Amino acid sequence: MAGSAPEIRDRAEEWPVLSSTTPFRGKVTGVRTDELRMPDGSTAKRDYQLHPGSVAVLALDDAGRVLLIRQYRHPVRQRLWEIPAGLLDIPGENPLHAAQRELYEEAHCKAEEWRVLLDFYTTPGGSDEALRIFLARGLGEAQGDRHQAEGEETEIEIARVPLDDLVRLVLAGELHNPALVAGALAAHAALNGAGPDALRPADAPWPARPFSAP
């Protein structure tokens, strides 16, 4: 008799932590070493990056083009095309508010309609970073003064690319930023499937990074 099919849904689980140290902590992230009790009774050490979490915005204009920015990323020695994104570096901050801030600061834009596009862990084998990507529509220019960029943000370039072209470039291996790659493919699937209104609301719960409602 065949066994029942497994439930295809991630579930919370935590193996016992026997000891934990933080050998490095920088301005934003750190590195933690945990000694775990494995299910077979043995122990193992795991090193991973501590990360506050991130948000990103797949912003579509009325012509079906995605708002992109390009900036230098030193660890990979490349200037990457990305979607607006930023850190959740204020504890308990509402992720929607953070995403709206990043869209304003990086592109001086606002959007009228917001939905949660997808949530994922960027590198769960080596970091606890959780990323929420929003789908933003009704794109327009923000009012007021432009944000004063600093550091590598002063070199930001901005472009708008049709979503279909973006998917083609992703599949051709021309684009590599994970938020852009995942966001473009998810948006294409959503818009060509059940539609954006079937996506979760912008204030949907996010167990990986709990937040308070406004």
Side-chain angles (χ1 to χ4, degrees):
M1 180 178 177
S4 59
E7 180 185 30
I8 307 302
R9 176 180 296 180
D10 295 338
R11 67 179 186 186
E13 183 174 335
E14 185 173 357
W15 294 353
V17 177
L18 305 179
S19 65
S20 182
T21 61
T22 306
F24 169 78
R25 183 174 290 279
K27 181 179 178 181
V28 176
T29 66
V31 175
R32 176 172 292 168
T33 299
D34 288 345
E35 183 178 14
L36 306 179
R37 176 74 68 188
M38 310 297 278
D40 64 1
S42 64
T43 62
K45 288 187 175 181
R46 294 290 182 266
D47 301 323
Y48 58 98
Q49 179 195 36
L50 299 172
H51 196 285
S54 306
V55 291
V57 185
L58 194 295
L60 278 173
D61 65 17
D62 293 340
R65 299 176 302 173
V66 178
L67 174 67
L68 301 182
I69 64 173
R70 181 160 66 174
Q71 58 183 321
Y72 176 67
R73 293 303 190 184
H74 183 69
V76 295
R77 274 50 169 193
Q78 290 195 30
R79 190 181 289 270
L80 300 178
W81 284 109
E82 306 177 352
I83 55 178
L87 298 170
L88 288 169
D89 46 8
I90 301 174
E93 182 178 17
N94 188 302
L96 174 60
H97 297 169
Q100 291 170 332
R101 181 184 66 241
E102 294 300 329
L103 183 61
Y104 161 73
E105 290 183 355
E106 296 190 345
H108 197 66
C109 285
K110 63 180 181 179
E112 299 298 328
E113 302 175 50
W114 292 79
R115 290 276 182 169
V116 173
L117 185 57
L118 74 161
D119 300 328
F120 65 100
Y121 295 107
T122 57
T123 49
S127 173
D128 68 351
E129 180 183 7
L131 173 63
R132 168 162 281 190
I133 302 180
F134 291 90
L135 176 66
R137 296 179 297 153
L139 192 63
E141 184 173 354
Q143 297 179 345
D145 297 333
R146 288 185 175 271
H147 174 70
Q148 295 300 310
E150 299 178 354
E152 64 263 22
E153 290 184 351
T154 62
E155 301 294 322
I156 282 180
E157 303 170 61
I158 297 178
R160 297 192 183 195
V161 179
L163 180 58
D164 288 346
D165 291 349
L166 204 55
V167 170
R168 176 179 56 79
L169 290 166
V170 166
L171 297 179
E174 299 292 342
L175 301 170
H176 305 91
N177 175 267
L180 169 57
V181 169
L185 297 178
H188 188 267
L191 295 176
N192 289 281
D197 291 341
L199 295 169
R200 288 171 292 161
D203 60 352
W206 189 15
R209 292 294 185 273
F211 61 92
S212 299

